[in-house]
């Protein structure tokens, strides 16, 4: 088995990149029509596609990671199936697909068997999902050796699914199940935190809010503040979003009153508590718009227990959707438009952990919360982590 790394990046609005190469201002897009092949053919050119060299009749492990700031992606390799075997560092029950979605923060391993006509090279296409693409797809060349890398594939680049084919995305995501032998989740949770994701306004700016509170990072870092007693469960309660949202909230409509407030958004969790998180998506400010959001948790993997369309009510039907048998262990999970996603984790890692939408502008617009776990069990806090904000003043002589 051979391993190849595929890092997917997006430079905002200009180009999708695979391992650092894209098509921005490049004639490669035109290269698929005969007579305009100079860019792909001149492999030393900056805009030439990245080459993934392979031998025929072998199986390769592609490690794929998305570090996009905005876009959700789809990966497809002309004429080849991909077998998904790992997600976010945990093995999954293998399944074969023609194309796969990759959200910002996701990582996967897929197996690729080079069982196609070895006299040809093949295009690898990465296209945008979840929002109207404003960039060309990224292309790479799957180069069957000993063909020249510059030999243009005989087939056109494969086309990724339509950006708004969410049923296709759901079908892919729902197939991700834990490999047998993966640790199982505890059968019940000690606490359930339900997080309604809405788009709002504050002082004329567009924000994202969680249960109507937009996360604004305090000037003093959380961990030092909590270790030094400047912040505790009581003081944090003042700006903490509620632990649930109104069952009457209409997730299909823009917020009736878009105004929101800011907070530090810290939930203090008891050490070792089993915590369920339900992420609820909703309509954004504009009518008939609900985006995908890949939520990412620091410090933990969680079990992805299930997904649903529409508003989560927590009734028997919603509970029946939860998968306690083979839920995948991950650290990133998507919420689909107008839908919900249920997660479970054990708060057994002392620290202060961010849980946020991995779409970078959304995070900076407030789409996140913080889980504080057994901060008293955290050992030494590095000086650098308390050298700013209100803790800096306390630092002289302080021993953490
Ligand atoms: C695009 O390429 C053309 C020709 O090579 C060059 O003149 C132009 O400055 C480039 N544009 C950008 C935005 O880089
Ligand atoms: C690949 O395997 C097939 C089936 O085993 C065989 O017919 C073919 O010759 C092999 N091709 C190469 C390039 O080794
Ligand atoms: C929302 O807040 C703005 C000030 O930012 C205020 O002018 C407006 O009346 C508020 N709207 C509602 C519906 O409360
Ligand atoms: C929390 O912090 C506030 C302000 O520093 C302090 O007055 C209060 O006693 C603290 N509460 C607990 C339970 O430590
Ligand atoms: C958010 O807060 C505003 C007041 O600032 C309120 O009018 C509105 O109903 C709240 N929205 C939700 C979803 O709770
Ligand atoms: C923190 O306070 C909230 C109520 O505001 C409570 O639900 C939670 O259990 C408390 N956490 C701890 C660790 O005491
Ligand atoms: C937390 O869980 C770990 C692992 O099960 C266990 O070793 C530890 O004793 C527990 N701590 C508390 C305070 O329950
Ligand atoms: C939103 O979608 C509904 C149902 O498809 C349609 O009736 C309505 O006109 C749409 N509204 C806008 C503003 O596009
Ligand atoms: Cu988001």
């Amino acid at each position: 088995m051979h391993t190849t790394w595929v890092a997917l990046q997006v430079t905002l609005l200009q180009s999708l990149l695979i391992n650092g190469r894209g098509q921005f201002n490049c004639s490669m897009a035109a290269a698929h029509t005969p007579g305009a092949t100079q860019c792909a053919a001149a492999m030393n050119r900056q805009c030439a596609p990245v080459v993934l060299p392979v031998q025929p009749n072998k199986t390769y492990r592609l490690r794929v990671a998305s570090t996009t700031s905005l876009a959700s992606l789809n990966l497809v390799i002309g004429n080849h199936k991909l077998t998904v075997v790992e997600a976010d560092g945990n093995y999954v029950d293998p399944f074969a697909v023609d194309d796969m979605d990759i959200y910002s923060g996701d990582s996967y391993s897929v197996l690729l068997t080079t069982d196609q006509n070895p006299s040809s090279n093949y295009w690898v296409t990465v296209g945008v999902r979840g929002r109207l693409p404003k960039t060309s797809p990224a292309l790479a060349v799957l180069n069957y050796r000993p063909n020249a890398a510059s030999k243009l594939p005989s087939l056109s680049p494969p086309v990724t699914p339509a950006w708004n084919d969410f049923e296709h995305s759901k079908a892919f995501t729902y197939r991700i199940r834990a490999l047998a032998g993966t640790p199982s989740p505890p059968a019940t949770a000690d606490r359930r935190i339900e997080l309604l994701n809405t788009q709002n306004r504050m002082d004329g700016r567009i924000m994202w809010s969680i249960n109507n509170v937009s996360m604004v990072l305090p000037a003093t870092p959380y961990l030092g503040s909590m270790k030094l007693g400047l912040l505790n469960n009581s003081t944090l309660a003042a700006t903490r979003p509620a632990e649930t949202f109104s069952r009457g909230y209409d997730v299909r409509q823009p917020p009736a009153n878009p105004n929101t407030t800011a907070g530090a958004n810290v939930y203090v969790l008891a050490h070792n508590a089993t915590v369920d998180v339900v992420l609820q998506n909703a309509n954004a400010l504009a009518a008939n718009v609900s985006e995908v959001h890949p939520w990412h948790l620091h410090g933990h993997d969680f079990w992805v227990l299930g997904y649903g369309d529409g508003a989560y009510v927590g009734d028997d039907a919603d509970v029946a959707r939860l998968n306690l048998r083979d839920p995948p262990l991950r650290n990133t999970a998507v919420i689909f438009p107008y839908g919900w996603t249920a997660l479970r984790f054990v708060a057994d890692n002392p620290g202060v952990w961010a849980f946020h939408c991995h779409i970078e502008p959304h995070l900076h617009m407030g789409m996140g919360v913080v889980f504080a776990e057994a901060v008293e069990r955290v050992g030494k806090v590095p000086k650098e982590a308390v050298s700013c904000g209100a803790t800096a003043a306390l630092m002289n002589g302080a021993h953490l």
Side-chain angles (χ1 to χ4, degrees):
M1 176 109 63
H2 308 257
T3 298
T4 301
W5 294 85
V6 182
L8 308 169
Q9 301 149 307
V10 175
T11 311
L12 254 182
L13 299 181
Q14 293 187 326
S15 187
L16 279 166
L17 307 178
I18 301 178
N19 290 356
R21 287 177 179 271
Q23 300 195 45
F24 176 57
N25 203 23
C26 174
S27 55
M28 193 174 74
H32 319 133
T33 47
T37 58
Q38 75 279 17
C39 200
M43 297 307 282
N44 58 342
R45 289 269 300 268
Q46 192 194 350
C47 55
V50 73
V51 173
L52 306 175
V54 293
Q55 301 288 338
N57 278 359
K58 295 202 184 300
T59 296
Y60 290 83
R61 176 181 190 166
L62 298 186
R63 289 184 175 270
V64 187
S66 169
T67 61
T68 61
S69 56
L70 185 62
S72 305
L73 303 176
N74 183 275
L75 169 76
V76 49
I77 301 184
N79 265 28
H80 290 75
K81 291 248 181 218
L82 302 168
T83 300
V84 180
V85 294
E86 175 260 325
D88 295 350
N90 298 292
Y91 289 116
V92 300
D93 195 24
F95 63 100
V97 291
D98 293 319
D99 64 87
M100 63 186 296
D101 286 342
I102 306 152
Y103 299 98
S104 181
D106 276 350
S107 59
Y108 287 101
S109 291
V110 294
L111 302 185
L112 168 83
T113 299
T114 49
D115 55 4
Q116 294 302 303
N117 180 352
S119 67
S120 183
N121 290 337
Y122 298 86
W123 286 116
V124 177
T125 303
V126 171
V128 172
R129 306 283 283 127
R131 60 165 56 216
L132 188 65
K134 297 201 170 104
T135 54
S136 310
L139 297 178
V141 174
L142 185 71
N143 170 216
Y144 270 62
R145 304 297 289 162
N147 300 330
S150 59
K151 179 176 184 179
L152 277 183
S154 45
L155 300 170
S156 305
V159 176
T160 55
W163 69 270
N164 56 359
D165 186 351
F166 294 111
E167 294 312 313
H168 188 89
S169 292
K170 289 177 191 175
F172 172 75
T173 302
Y174 296 172
R175 287 184 74 183
I176 302 170
R177 299 301 177 104
L179 185 66
T182 301
S184 299
T188 57
D190 302 311
R191 187 168 172 184
R192 188 168 70 208
I193 299 176
E194 301 170 352
L195 305 175
L196 172 66
N197 292 229
T198 54
Q199 196 181 36
N200 300 79
R201 284 185 202 283
M202 194 165 60
D203 302 330
R205 294 192 303 274
I206 295 179
M207 309 292 281
W208 292 94
S209 295
I210 304 308
N211 293 347
N212 220 11
V213 186
S214 197
M215 183 176 70
V216 175
L217 299 177
T220 303
Y222 289 104
L223 182 59
S225 304
M226 295 187 74
K227 271 297 262 196
L228 289 171
L230 296 174
L231 293 175
N232 58 37
N233 200 22
S234 318
T235 51
L236 287 163
T239 62
R240 174 161 46 227
E243 202 141 323
T244 184
F245 56 89
S246 157
R247 283 291 180 267
Y249 188 86
D250 188 349
V251 301
R252 303 254 166 210
Q253 299 297 325
N257 176 1
N259 286 358
T260 191
T261 55
N265 288 18
V266 181
Y267 293 96
V268 180
L269 307 178
H271 184 50
N272 279 355
T274 298
V275 179
D276 276 6
V277 176
V278 177
L279 290 162
Q280 174 70 58
N281 209 344
N283 201 103
L285 287 168
N288 291 351
V289 174
S290 184
E291 300 181 22
V292 293
H293 303 281
W295 276 77
H296 173 67
L297 177 60
H298 294 216
H300 289 278
D301 286 336
F302 46 66
W303 290 274
V304 185
L305 299 187
Y307 302 86
D309 294 323
Y312 175 85
V313 286
D315 61 3
D316 291 349
D318 282 349
V319 170
R321 286 173 165 275
L322 301 184
N323 168 20
L324 297 176
R325 204 175 55 80
D326 58 358
L329 261 179
R330 303 204 57 168
N331 53 52
T332 306
V334 69
I335 48 174
F336 291 109
Y338 302 106
W340 54 263
T341 299
L343 314 173
R344 180 169 294 177
F345 69 97
V346 179
D348 57 2
N349 191 9
V352 174
W353 303 113
F355 180 47
H356 61 95
C357 178
H358 209 273
I359 294 176
E360 208 165 303
H362 293 187
L363 167 61
H364 297 304
M365 291 156 86
M367 201 168 211
V369 298
V370 169
F371 293 130
E373 305 173 31
V375 168
E376 67 285 355
R377 290 171 181 261
V378 173
K380 195 170 156 36
V381 178
K383 261 198 173 135
E384 291 74 15
V386 286
S387 60
C388 55
T391 45
L394 286 177
M395 266 312 288
N396 287 336
H399 293 283
L400 287 173

